Amino acid sequence: MQQPGRAAEIKAIGIGKSFGSFRALDNLTLDIGRGEFLTLLGPSGSGKTTFLMILAGFVQPTEGRLFSDGTDITDRPAEQRAAGMVFQGYALFPHMSVEANIAFPLKVRKKSASEIKKRVGEMIERVGLIGHEKKLPSQLSGGQQQRVALARALVFEPGVLLLDEPFSALDKGLRGQMQAEMKRLHQETGTTFVFVTHDQSEALALSSRVAIFNHGKLLQVGAPDEVYDRPDNRFVAEFLGEINMLPLKGVRPADNGSIGVCEDRAVSMHCKAEKVRGDAILAIRPEHMSIAREAAAGENGIAATAIASTYLGAATKLDLTTRQGARVTVSVPNEVAAAALSKGNSVWLTWPAEKGFLLPEGGQ
Amino acid sequence: MRGVLSDRMGAALLMAPLLLFLVLAYAWPFLGVVKWSFTLPTPGLGQYQALLTDDLVQSVFIRTLRIAAIVTVVSVAAAYAITVVWVRGSPAQRLIAEFCILVPFWISVLTRAFGWVALLSNRGLINTWLQSIGFISEPLTLVRNEFGVVVGMTHFLIPFAVFPLASAMRSLDERVLLAARGLGSSRMRTFWTVFVPMTRSGIIGSALIVFVFSLGFFVTPAILGGGRSVMIAELIYLRIFQSPDWGLGAAISVVLVVFVGALMALLFRYVRPKQLV
């Protein structure tokens, strides 16, 4: 976080934070790569914001060390870390014009008047605020305030930009626009971005990696497709999107992954049965299951009865019950759903072996 | 709508006794004072002309404005420091600050004035102590002059200056201060460039309240000024009760009330009444 203009590489080792008897963050170890876009995802109270505040230097960890480009910065105060930060609600200086807000970090760094003017001008152009330079924050729309906050946090070329739920106050259309803009700013500046959100689609859409938090623990870190398709546990699987869970018996390793028995039929998975043996849960995303008239021998499939459908426009969401009473949701083309509901309702559900994954039975 | 209307009616009814009292006890008699200023000793604008030419009256007006200005600056500065501790300090600091703010309210203005005399007079605590440690040989003149008046009035007015400041500081968004520090600004710089400007409305409200109060001070300047630092209120008293010149006393009163009224109007343009409590 020290050299301006160069993306920072951050290492958190065994970070913990207690507020009285409340454990906000527990034994967190995480590497944040140079120039990566990392999202901290989790429900409220999961510890993601506490970790962001520790990165910024506003909260002192109870234990653990924090390194930036190899330097221990755990005890360094916030103003000396100088990470760019965008707050929830923007936290603009209400008594300063747009221009003065953006110039603030440069003035603090005692840059020359001509350099401040030049860099503020460039930043205002980059975030599309030309014509608003002299206005006060209260005279701007939410989206414009958001741009000022981004410009102010990036103008001094910090090694890392920290963003605390920056879009939570914006309506849906504007949110999409700002997300695209932020992705562009990330590519243009090459700075390390650490972004906090509780919106999983935002996390999957924006980041190079997603870190999922719950109850103060970091549960899994990985690329969006990795955590979505191969979650380590039930919480991650459910938090990232809708998922079907079927009880699985007799799970054991096989030549090409693992095998088990689901509703009296042998099924195979490409994933390895390392963490689970015997009883487990087979998890499959709704869009990875198909409706078929029957399942061929050796194909993954179970019999089910269609009970309801929800038309979503591009596709239809179909709710089914298996023979043993498990509820399953699939996302299928509209005509397939109509046919499944009309044909005596009895169908087969099939899925490719690489799309099913194993979760430990019970628990999180 | 009906709820709002009846609420307003209820509020008006609740305030009615106070308004009636103010009209009977203040507004009506004051109209009498206005009348005197134009009729005593002879009808006309003579008393107002005298105000413009009388050297004594003018020097008292100027002294009053000067003392009020000094007291305002000192009180607001001191109150600002106390309020920062009261609003943003640790729980123990808050308790101490609250105690310091509230206790003066329980002691009468007269008692406090004599207390300052005991501290500041030639044989008072401060001079005796300074002499005993050999810091000074002759006692310092700390009372029966403008200095004593300023000390006494500032002490009285600091608590009144605290409330508008506290209200401004409490409504401030904490994240803005964090943002400033996150952008590289030291605590000191954040205080001067972000915190103080953001509490501007509180500073204005606080300064106007103290200034307006200072203009009408009577007891404190009469005791601590020792007759040498006469302020307007004391001058009015002297004109009415000692050198019976009711017309001039009345004219000074009218000018003071008009001036204070104008300041109050200014005050309410800058701050909402709610912020003052």
PDB file of all heavy atoms in Angstrom, chain A residues 58 79 82-83 87-88 91-95 104 107-109 152 156, chain B residues 173 175-176 178-187 189 193-194 197-198:
ATOM      1  N   PHE A  58      -8.676   0.856  10.090  1.00  0.00           N
ATOM      2  CA  PHE A  58      -9.641   1.486  10.996  1.00  0.00           C
ATOM      3  C   PHE A  58      -9.938   0.582  12.192  1.00  0.00           C
ATOM      4  O   PHE A  58     -10.437   1.030  13.207  1.00  0.00           O
ATOM      5  CB  PHE A  58     -10.950   1.804  10.280  1.00  0.00           C
ATOM      6  CG  PHE A  58     -10.793   2.792   9.167  1.00  0.00           C
ATOM      7  CD1 PHE A  58     -11.449   2.628   7.963  1.00  0.00           C
ATOM      8  CD2 PHE A  58      -9.975   3.907   9.319  1.00  0.00           C
ATOM      9  CE1 PHE A  58     -11.295   3.533   6.935  1.00  0.00           C
ATOM     10  CE2 PHE A  58      -9.824   4.820   8.303  1.00  0.00           C
ATOM     11  CZ  PHE A  58     -10.475   4.634   7.109  1.00  0.00           C
ATOM     12  N   GLU A  79      -3.978   6.439   8.215  1.00  0.00           N
ATOM     13  CA  GLU A  79      -3.528   7.514   7.328  1.00  0.00           C
ATOM     14  C   GLU A  79      -2.172   7.221   6.692  1.00  0.00           C
ATOM     15  O   GLU A  79      -1.820   7.795   5.677  1.00  0.00           O
ATOM     16  CB  GLU A  79      -3.511   8.862   8.052  1.00  0.00           C
ATOM     17  CG  GLU A  79      -2.627   8.932   9.278  1.00  0.00           C
ATOM     18  CD  GLU A  79      -3.403   8.616  10.550  1.00  0.00           C
ATOM     19  OE1 GLU A  79      -4.360   7.826  10.484  1.00  0.00           O
ATOM     20  OE2 GLU A  79      -3.042   9.165  11.611  1.00  0.00           O
ATOM     21  N   ALA A  82      -2.904   4.501   3.655  1.00  0.00           N
ATOM     22  CA  ALA A  82      -3.433   5.172   2.486  1.00  0.00           C
ATOM     23  C   ALA A  82      -3.923   4.210   1.422  1.00  0.00           C
ATOM     24  O   ALA A  82      -3.478   4.225   0.287  1.00  0.00           O
ATOM     25  CB  ALA A  82      -2.394   6.126   1.920  1.00  0.00           C
ATOM     26  N   ALA A  83      -4.800   3.348   1.823  1.00  0.00           N
ATOM     27  CA  ALA A  83      -5.536   2.551   0.851  1.00  0.00           C
ATOM     28  C   ALA A  83      -6.682   3.434   0.381  1.00  0.00           C
ATOM     29  O   ALA A  83      -7.260   4.162   1.181  1.00  0.00           O
ATOM     30  CB  ALA A  83      -6.084   1.305   1.528  1.00  0.00           C
ATOM     31  N   PHE A  87     -16.771   4.219   0.810  1.00  0.00           N
ATOM     32  CA  PHE A  87     -17.631   3.778   1.895  1.00  0.00           C
ATOM     33  C   PHE A  87     -19.063   3.565   1.423  1.00  0.00           C
ATOM     34  O   PHE A  87     -19.506   4.147   0.440  1.00  0.00           O
ATOM     35  CB  PHE A  87     -17.677   4.835   2.996  1.00  0.00           C
ATOM     36  CG  PHE A  87     -16.424   4.911   3.808  1.00  0.00           C
ATOM     37  CD1 PHE A  87     -15.317   5.593   3.341  1.00  0.00           C
ATOM     38  CD2 PHE A  87     -16.355   4.310   5.047  1.00  0.00           C
ATOM     39  CE1 PHE A  87     -14.165   5.665   4.089  1.00  0.00           C
ATOM     40  CE2 PHE A  87     -15.207   4.381   5.804  1.00  0.00           C
ATOM     41  CZ  PHE A  87     -14.115   5.062   5.320  1.00  0.00           C
ATOM     42  N   GLN A  88     -19.770   2.746   2.197  1.00  0.00           N
ATOM     43  CA  GLN A  88     -21.213   2.643   2.027  1.00  0.00           C
ATOM     44  C   GLN A  88     -21.764   4.028   2.346  1.00  0.00           C
ATOM     45  O   GLN A  88     -21.415   4.609   3.370  1.00  0.00           O
ATOM     46  CB  GLN A  88     -21.710   1.632   3.057  1.00  0.00           C
ATOM     47  CG  GLN A  88     -23.014   1.034   2.725  1.00  0.00           C
ATOM     48  CD  GLN A  88     -23.364  -0.085   3.699  1.00  0.00           C
ATOM     49  OE1 GLN A  88     -22.601  -0.386   4.626  1.00  0.00           O
ATOM     50  NE2 GLN A  88     -24.487  -0.701   3.483  1.00  0.00           N
ATOM     51  N   ALA A  91     -19.644   8.824   2.083  1.00  0.00           N
ATOM     52  CA  ALA A  91     -18.836   9.622   3.024  1.00  0.00           C
ATOM     53  C   ALA A  91     -18.057  10.735   2.344  1.00  0.00           C
ATOM     54  O   ALA A  91     -16.882  10.947   2.610  1.00  0.00           O
ATOM     55  CB  ALA A  91     -17.885   8.714   3.817  1.00  0.00           C
ATOM     56  N   LEU A  92     -18.712  11.454   1.446  1.00  0.00           N
ATOM     57  CA  LEU A  92     -18.049  12.611   0.820  1.00  0.00           C
ATOM     58  C   LEU A  92     -18.000  13.748   1.831  1.00  0.00           C
ATOM     59  O   LEU A  92     -18.789  13.785   2.771  1.00  0.00           O
ATOM     60  CB  LEU A  92     -18.840  13.055  -0.415  1.00  0.00           C
ATOM     61  CG  LEU A  92     -18.953  11.998  -1.520  1.00  0.00           C
ATOM     62  CD1 LEU A  92     -19.837  12.521  -2.648  1.00  0.00           C
ATOM     63  CD2 LEU A  92     -17.592  11.607  -2.051  1.00  0.00           C
ATOM     64  N   PHE A  93     -17.070  14.699   1.625  1.00  0.00           N
ATOM     65  CA  PHE A  93     -17.006  15.858   2.508  1.00  0.00           C
ATOM     66  C   PHE A  93     -18.117  16.823   2.101  1.00  0.00           C
ATOM     67  O   PHE A  93     -18.048  17.405   1.018  1.00  0.00           O
ATOM     68  CB  PHE A  93     -15.635  16.526   2.411  1.00  0.00           C
ATOM     69  CG  PHE A  93     -14.507  15.576   2.698  1.00  0.00           C
ATOM     70  CD1 PHE A  93     -13.476  15.407   1.799  1.00  0.00           C
ATOM     71  CD2 PHE A  93     -14.495  14.833   3.874  1.00  0.00           C
ATOM     72  CE1 PHE A  93     -12.446  14.523   2.061  1.00  0.00           C
ATOM     73  CE2 PHE A  93     -13.468  13.948   4.144  1.00  0.00           C
ATOM     74  CZ  PHE A  93     -12.436  13.794   3.231  1.00  0.00           C
ATOM     75  N   PRO A  94     -19.132  17.009   2.939  1.00  0.00           N
ATOM     76  CA  PRO A  94     -20.320  17.762   2.511  1.00  0.00           C
ATOM     77  C   PRO A  94     -20.043  19.242   2.282  1.00  0.00           C
ATOM     78  O   PRO A  94     -20.781  19.897   1.558  1.00  0.00           O
ATOM     79  CB  PRO A  94     -21.304  17.562   3.669  1.00  0.00           C
ATOM     80  CG  PRO A  94     -20.476  17.190   4.834  1.00  0.00           C
ATOM     81  CD  PRO A  94     -19.264  16.502   4.308  1.00  0.00           C
ATOM     82  N   HIS A  95     -18.980  19.756   2.907  1.00  0.00           N
ATOM     83  CA  HIS A  95     -18.699  21.191   2.794  1.00  0.00           C
ATOM     84  C   HIS A  95     -17.731  21.496   1.664  1.00  0.00           C
ATOM     85  O   HIS A  95     -17.327  22.637   1.504  1.00  0.00           O
ATOM     86  CB  HIS A  95     -18.141  21.691   4.124  1.00  0.00           C
ATOM     87  CG  HIS A  95     -16.887  20.965   4.538  1.00  0.00           C
ATOM     88  ND1 HIS A  95     -16.889  19.632   4.873  1.00  0.00           N
ATOM     89  CD2 HIS A  95     -15.610  21.371   4.636  1.00  0.00           C
ATOM     90  CE1 HIS A  95     -15.652  19.255   5.187  1.00  0.00           C
ATOM     91  NE2 HIS A  95     -14.860  20.295   5.038  1.00  0.00           N
ATOM     92  N   PHE A 104      -8.633  16.422  -2.241  1.00  0.00           N
ATOM     93  CA  PHE A 104      -8.245  16.259  -0.826  1.00  0.00           C
ATOM     94  C   PHE A 104      -7.029  15.341  -0.608  1.00  0.00           C
ATOM     95  O   PHE A 104      -6.054  15.757   0.018  1.00  0.00           O
ATOM     96  CB  PHE A 104      -9.458  15.771  -0.022  1.00  0.00           C
ATOM     97  CG  PHE A 104      -9.215  15.676   1.457  1.00  0.00           C
ATOM     98  CD1 PHE A 104      -9.363  16.783   2.284  1.00  0.00           C
ATOM     99  CD2 PHE A 104      -8.826  14.475   2.045  1.00  0.00           C
ATOM    100  CE1 PHE A 104      -9.143  16.699   3.643  1.00  0.00           C
ATOM    101  CE2 PHE A 104      -8.593  14.382   3.401  1.00  0.00           C
ATOM    102  CZ  PHE A 104      -8.755  15.501   4.196  1.00  0.00           C
ATOM    103  N   LYS A 107      -3.891  17.072  -1.765  1.00  0.00           N
ATOM    104  CA  LYS A 107      -3.479  18.192  -0.905  1.00  0.00           C
ATOM    105  C   LYS A 107      -2.787  17.668   0.331  1.00  0.00           C
ATOM    106  O   LYS A 107      -1.795  18.216   0.781  1.00  0.00           O
ATOM    107  CB  LYS A 107      -4.703  19.020  -0.503  1.00  0.00           C
ATOM    108  CG  LYS A 107      -5.117  19.991  -1.585  1.00  0.00           C
ATOM    109  CD  LYS A 107      -6.033  21.064  -1.025  1.00  0.00           C
ATOM    110  CE  LYS A 107      -6.441  22.024  -2.115  1.00  0.00           C
ATOM    111  NZ  LYS A 107      -7.821  22.476  -1.966  1.00  0.00           N
ATOM    112  N   VAL A 108      -3.354  16.604   0.901  1.00  0.00           N
ATOM    113  CA  VAL A 108      -2.758  15.991   2.087  1.00  0.00           C
ATOM    114  C   VAL A 108      -1.331  15.565   1.770  1.00  0.00           C
ATOM    115  O   VAL A 108      -0.437  15.665   2.601  1.00  0.00           O
ATOM    116  CB  VAL A 108      -3.601  14.764   2.509  1.00  0.00           C
ATOM    117  CG1 VAL A 108      -2.866  13.945   3.537  1.00  0.00           C
ATOM    118  CG2 VAL A 108      -4.943  15.219   3.050  1.00  0.00           C
ATOM    119  N   ARG A 109      -1.115  15.110   0.532  1.00  0.00           N
ATOM    120  CA  ARG A 109       0.225  14.655   0.127  1.00  0.00           C
ATOM    121  C   ARG A 109       1.093  15.795  -0.375  1.00  0.00           C
ATOM    122  O   ARG A 109       2.146  15.566  -0.943  1.00  0.00           O
ATOM    123  CB  ARG A 109       0.077  13.575  -0.940  1.00  0.00           C
ATOM    124  CG  ARG A 109      -0.378  12.277  -0.328  1.00  0.00           C
ATOM    125  CD  ARG A 109      -0.803  11.245  -1.354  1.00  0.00           C
ATOM    126  NE  ARG A 109      -1.217  10.027  -0.675  1.00  0.00           N
ATOM    127  CZ  ARG A 109      -2.340   9.893   0.009  1.00  0.00           C
ATOM    128  NH1 ARG A 109      -3.186  10.904   0.084  1.00  0.00           N
ATOM    129  NH2 ARG A 109      -2.644   8.772   0.625  1.00  0.00           N
ATOM    130  N   ARG A 152     -12.219  10.154  -5.825  1.00  0.00           N
ATOM    131  CA  ARG A 152     -11.443  10.599  -4.670  1.00  0.00           C
ATOM    132  C   ARG A 152     -10.540   9.476  -4.159  1.00  0.00           C
ATOM    133  O   ARG A 152      -9.421   9.713  -3.708  1.00  0.00           O
ATOM    134  CB  ARG A 152     -12.419  11.028  -3.563  1.00  0.00           C
ATOM    135  CG  ARG A 152     -11.762  11.649  -2.359  1.00  0.00           C
ATOM    136  CD  ARG A 152     -12.774  12.060  -1.324  1.00  0.00           C
ATOM    137  NE  ARG A 152     -13.437  10.916  -0.718  1.00  0.00           N
ATOM    138  CZ  ARG A 152     -14.280  10.990   0.305  1.00  0.00           C
ATOM    139  NH1 ARG A 152     -14.586  12.175   0.818  1.00  0.00           N
ATOM    140  NH2 ARG A 152     -14.856   9.923   0.798  1.00  0.00           N
ATOM    141  N   PHE A 156      -5.111   9.413  -5.972  1.00  0.00           N
ATOM    142  CA  PHE A 156      -3.726   9.385  -5.489  1.00  0.00           C
ATOM    143  C   PHE A 156      -3.034   8.064  -5.806  1.00  0.00           C
ATOM    144  O   PHE A 156      -1.980   7.761  -5.266  1.00  0.00           O
ATOM    145  CB  PHE A 156      -3.660   9.735  -3.996  1.00  0.00           C
ATOM    146  CG  PHE A 156      -4.394   8.776  -3.086  1.00  0.00           C
ATOM    147  CD1 PHE A 156      -3.696   7.853  -2.322  1.00  0.00           C
ATOM    148  CD2 PHE A 156      -5.778   8.821  -2.976  1.00  0.00           C
ATOM    149  CE1 PHE A 156      -4.351   6.976  -1.470  1.00  0.00           C
ATOM    150  CE2 PHE A 156      -6.452   7.949  -2.126  1.00  0.00           C
ATOM    151  CZ  PHE A 156      -5.737   7.029  -1.376  1.00  0.00           C
TER     152      PHE A 156
ATOM    153  N   ASP B 173     -21.563  12.567  10.401  1.00  0.00           N
ATOM    154  CA  ASP B 173     -21.372  11.189   9.949  1.00  0.00           C
ATOM    155  C   ASP B 173     -19.923  10.748  10.210  1.00  0.00           C
ATOM    156  O   ASP B 173     -18.988  11.260   9.614  1.00  0.00           O
ATOM    157  CB  ASP B 173     -21.692  11.098   8.451  1.00  0.00           C
ATOM    158  CG  ASP B 173     -21.561   9.690   7.911  1.00  0.00           C
ATOM    159  OD1 ASP B 173     -21.158   8.789   8.672  1.00  0.00           O
ATOM    160  OD2 ASP B 173     -21.875   9.487   6.722  1.00  0.00           O
ATOM    161  N   ARG B 175     -18.321   8.251   9.340  1.00  0.00           N
ATOM    162  CA  ARG B 175     -17.587   7.686   8.204  1.00  0.00           C
ATOM    163  C   ARG B 175     -16.818   8.734   7.419  1.00  0.00           C
ATOM    164  O   ARG B 175     -15.803   8.451   6.801  1.00  0.00           O
ATOM    165  CB  ARG B 175     -18.559   6.960   7.266  1.00  0.00           C
ATOM    166  CG  ARG B 175     -18.929   5.587   7.783  1.00  0.00           C
ATOM    167  CD  ARG B 175     -19.946   4.946   6.893  1.00  0.00           C
ATOM    168  NE  ARG B 175     -21.142   5.779   6.805  1.00  0.00           N
ATOM    169  CZ  ARG B 175     -22.282   5.373   6.292  1.00  0.00           C
ATOM    170  NH1 ARG B 175     -22.396   4.177   5.814  1.00  0.00           N
ATOM    171  NH2 ARG B 175     -23.327   6.176   6.253  1.00  0.00           N
ATOM    172  N   VAL B 176     -17.325   9.976   7.459  1.00  0.00           N
ATOM    173  CA  VAL B 176     -16.631  11.045   6.741  1.00  0.00           C
ATOM    174  C   VAL B 176     -15.251  11.280   7.371  1.00  0.00           C
ATOM    175  O   VAL B 176     -14.263  11.508   6.679  1.00  0.00           O
ATOM    176  CB  VAL B 176     -17.463  12.341   6.740  1.00  0.00           C
ATOM    177  CG1 VAL B 176     -16.721  13.468   6.056  1.00  0.00           C
ATOM    178  CG2 VAL B 176     -18.789  12.096   6.046  1.00  0.00           C
ATOM    179  N   LEU B 178     -13.543   8.943   9.047  1.00  0.00           N
ATOM    180  CA  LEU B 178     -12.747   7.778   8.674  1.00  0.00           C
ATOM    181  C   LEU B 178     -12.224   7.946   7.255  1.00  0.00           C
ATOM    182  O   LEU B 178     -11.067   7.659   6.960  1.00  0.00           O
ATOM    183  CB  LEU B 178     -13.590   6.502   8.745  1.00  0.00           C
ATOM    184  CG  LEU B 178     -13.899   5.927  10.120  1.00  0.00           C
ATOM    185  CD1 LEU B 178     -14.635   4.610   9.967  1.00  0.00           C
ATOM    186  CD2 LEU B 178     -12.624   5.713  10.916  1.00  0.00           C
ATOM    187  N   ALA B 179     -13.099   8.432   6.369  1.00  0.00           N
ATOM    188  CA  ALA B 179     -12.710   8.616   4.967  1.00  0.00           C
ATOM    189  C   ALA B 179     -11.508   9.543   4.884  1.00  0.00           C
ATOM    190  O   ALA B 179     -10.546   9.263   4.177  1.00  0.00           O
ATOM    191  CB  ALA B 179     -13.883   9.177   4.163  1.00  0.00           C
ATOM    192  N   ALA B 180     -11.539  10.641   5.638  1.00  0.00           N
ATOM    193  CA  ALA B 180     -10.435  11.604   5.589  1.00  0.00           C
ATOM    194  C   ALA B 180      -9.141  10.923   6.013  1.00  0.00           C
ATOM    195  O   ALA B 180      -8.110  11.071   5.362  1.00  0.00           O
ATOM    196  CB  ALA B 180     -10.737  12.788   6.499  1.00  0.00           C
ATOM    197  N   ARG B 181      -9.201  10.137   7.085  1.00  0.00           N
ATOM    198  CA  ARG B 181      -7.981   9.483   7.552  1.00  0.00           C
ATOM    199  C   ARG B 181      -7.529   8.418   6.569  1.00  0.00           C
ATOM    200  O   ARG B 181      -6.338   8.269   6.304  1.00  0.00           O
ATOM    201  CB  ARG B 181      -8.201   8.902   8.946  1.00  0.00           C
ATOM    202  CG  ARG B 181      -8.312  10.007   9.999  1.00  0.00           C
ATOM    203  CD  ARG B 181      -8.204   9.488  11.402  1.00  0.00           C
ATOM    204  NE  ARG B 181      -7.062   8.609  11.526  1.00  0.00           N
ATOM    205  CZ  ARG B 181      -7.074   7.471  12.206  1.00  0.00           C
ATOM    206  NH1 ARG B 181      -8.165   7.096  12.829  1.00  0.00           N
ATOM    207  NH2 ARG B 181      -6.016   6.730  12.278  1.00  0.00           N
ATOM    208  N   GLY B 182      -8.487   7.705   5.998  1.00  0.00           N
ATOM    209  CA  GLY B 182      -8.146   6.691   5.006  1.00  0.00           C
ATOM    210  C   GLY B 182      -7.481   7.291   3.777  1.00  0.00           C
ATOM    211  O   GLY B 182      -6.686   6.649   3.105  1.00  0.00           O
ATOM    212  N   LEU B 183      -7.791   8.542   3.492  1.00  0.00           N
ATOM    213  CA  LEU B 183      -7.197   9.203   2.321  1.00  0.00           C
ATOM    214  C   LEU B 183      -5.835   9.815   2.664  1.00  0.00           C
ATOM    215  O   LEU B 183      -5.248  10.501   1.842  1.00  0.00           O
ATOM    216  CB  LEU B 183      -8.147  10.284   1.792  1.00  0.00           C
ATOM    217  CG  LEU B 183      -9.447   9.744   1.198  1.00  0.00           C
ATOM    218  CD1 LEU B 183     -10.453  10.857   0.978  1.00  0.00           C
ATOM    219  CD2 LEU B 183      -9.188   9.021  -0.118  1.00  0.00           C
ATOM    220  N   GLY B 184      -5.367   9.590   3.885  1.00  0.00           N
ATOM    221  CA  GLY B 184      -4.011  10.002   4.234  1.00  0.00           C
ATOM    222  C   GLY B 184      -3.915  11.195   5.154  1.00  0.00           C
ATOM    223  O   GLY B 184      -2.832  11.669   5.454  1.00  0.00           O
ATOM    224  N   SER B 185      -5.054  11.700   5.623  1.00  0.00           N
ATOM    225  CA  SER B 185      -5.032  12.902   6.448  1.00  0.00           C
ATOM    226  C   SER B 185      -4.792  12.547   7.915  1.00  0.00           C
ATOM    227  O   SER B 185      -5.459  11.674   8.456  1.00  0.00           O
ATOM    228  CB  SER B 185      -6.383  13.607   6.273  1.00  0.00           C
ATOM    229  OG  SER B 185      -6.522  14.647   7.174  1.00  0.00           O
ATOM    230  N   SER B 186      -3.860  13.255   8.568  1.00  0.00           N
ATOM    231  CA  SER B 186      -3.579  12.991   9.981  1.00  0.00           C
ATOM    232  C   SER B 186      -4.793  13.380  10.826  1.00  0.00           C
ATOM    233  O   SER B 186      -5.689  14.075  10.347  1.00  0.00           O
ATOM    234  CB  SER B 186      -2.375  13.812  10.424  1.00  0.00           C
ATOM    235  OG  SER B 186      -2.698  15.183  10.351  1.00  0.00           O
ATOM    236  N   ARG B 187      -4.778  12.968  12.099  1.00  0.00           N
ATOM    237  CA  ARG B 187      -5.894  13.315  12.987  1.00  0.00           C
ATOM    238  C   ARG B 187      -6.044  14.825  13.097  1.00  0.00           C
ATOM    239  O   ARG B 187      -7.138  15.367  13.066  1.00  0.00           O
ATOM    240  CB  ARG B 187      -5.645  12.745  14.380  1.00  0.00           C
ATOM    241  CG  ARG B 187      -5.938  11.268  14.482  1.00  0.00           C
ATOM    242  CD  ARG B 187      -5.485  10.725  15.830  1.00  0.00           C
ATOM    243  NE  ARG B 187      -5.462   9.276  15.834  1.00  0.00           N
ATOM    244  CZ  ARG B 187      -6.515   8.518  16.110  1.00  0.00           C
ATOM    245  NH1 ARG B 187      -7.668   9.077  16.413  1.00  0.00           N
ATOM    246  NH2 ARG B 187      -6.431   7.220  16.073  1.00  0.00           N
ATOM    247  N   ARG B 189      -5.057  17.207  10.994  1.00  0.00           N
ATOM    248  CA  ARG B 189      -5.529  17.798   9.754  1.00  0.00           C
ATOM    249  C   ARG B 189      -7.011  17.493   9.540  1.00  0.00           C
ATOM    250  O   ARG B 189      -7.782  18.348   9.095  1.00  0.00           O
ATOM    251  CB  ARG B 189      -4.701  17.250   8.593  1.00  0.00           C
ATOM    252  CG  ARG B 189      -4.860  18.070   7.347  1.00  0.00           C
ATOM    253  CD  ARG B 189      -4.234  17.383   6.151  1.00  0.00           C
ATOM    254  NE  ARG B 189      -4.543  18.187   4.972  1.00  0.00           N
ATOM    255  CZ  ARG B 189      -3.674  19.009   4.420  1.00  0.00           C
ATOM    256  NH1 ARG B 189      -2.477  19.127   4.895  1.00  0.00           N
ATOM    257  NH2 ARG B 189      -4.037  19.714   3.357  1.00  0.00           N
ATOM    258  N   THR B 193      -9.628  20.422   8.898  1.00  0.00           N
ATOM    259  CA  THR B 193     -10.160  20.589   7.539  1.00  0.00           C
ATOM    260  C   THR B 193     -11.499  19.896   7.326  1.00  0.00           C
ATOM    261  O   THR B 193     -12.179  20.166   6.345  1.00  0.00           O
ATOM    262  CB  THR B 193      -9.177  20.066   6.474  1.00  0.00           C
ATOM    263  OG1 THR B 193      -8.961  18.681   6.711  1.00  0.00           O
ATOM    264  CG2 THR B 193      -7.870  20.819   6.496  1.00  0.00           C
ATOM    265  N   VAL B 194     -11.866  18.972   8.200  1.00  0.00           N
ATOM    266  CA  VAL B 194     -13.132  18.249   8.009  1.00  0.00           C
ATOM    267  C   VAL B 194     -14.076  18.445   9.197  1.00  0.00           C
ATOM    268  O   VAL B 194     -15.201  18.902   9.045  1.00  0.00           O
ATOM    269  CB  VAL B 194     -12.890  16.744   7.749  1.00  0.00           C
ATOM    270  CG1 VAL B 194     -14.209  16.024   7.544  1.00  0.00           C
ATOM    271  CG2 VAL B 194     -11.986  16.549   6.545  1.00  0.00           C
ATOM    272  N   PRO B 197     -15.041  22.429   9.920  1.00  0.00           N
ATOM    273  CA  PRO B 197     -15.977  22.986   8.923  1.00  0.00           C
ATOM    274  C   PRO B 197     -17.349  22.305   8.945  1.00  0.00           C
ATOM    275  O   PRO B 197     -18.367  22.943   8.688  1.00  0.00           O
ATOM    276  CB  PRO B 197     -15.273  22.733   7.586  1.00  0.00           C
ATOM    277  CG  PRO B 197     -13.845  22.547   7.910  1.00  0.00           C
ATOM    278  CD  PRO B 197     -13.786  21.977   9.284  1.00  0.00           C
ATOM    279  N   MET B 198     -17.378  21.017   9.267  1.00  0.00           N
ATOM    280  CA  MET B 198     -18.664  20.318   9.266  1.00  0.00           C
ATOM    281  C   MET B 198     -19.532  20.704  10.461  1.00  0.00           C
ATOM    282  O   MET B 198     -20.722  20.402  10.484  1.00  0.00           O
ATOM    283  CB  MET B 198     -18.453  18.802   9.229  1.00  0.00           C
ATOM    284  CG  MET B 198     -18.137  18.305   7.824  1.00  0.00           C
ATOM    285  SD  MET B 198     -17.853  16.530   7.777  1.00  0.00           S
ATOM    286  CE  MET B 198     -19.518  15.905   7.944  1.00  0.00           C
TER     287      MET B 198
END
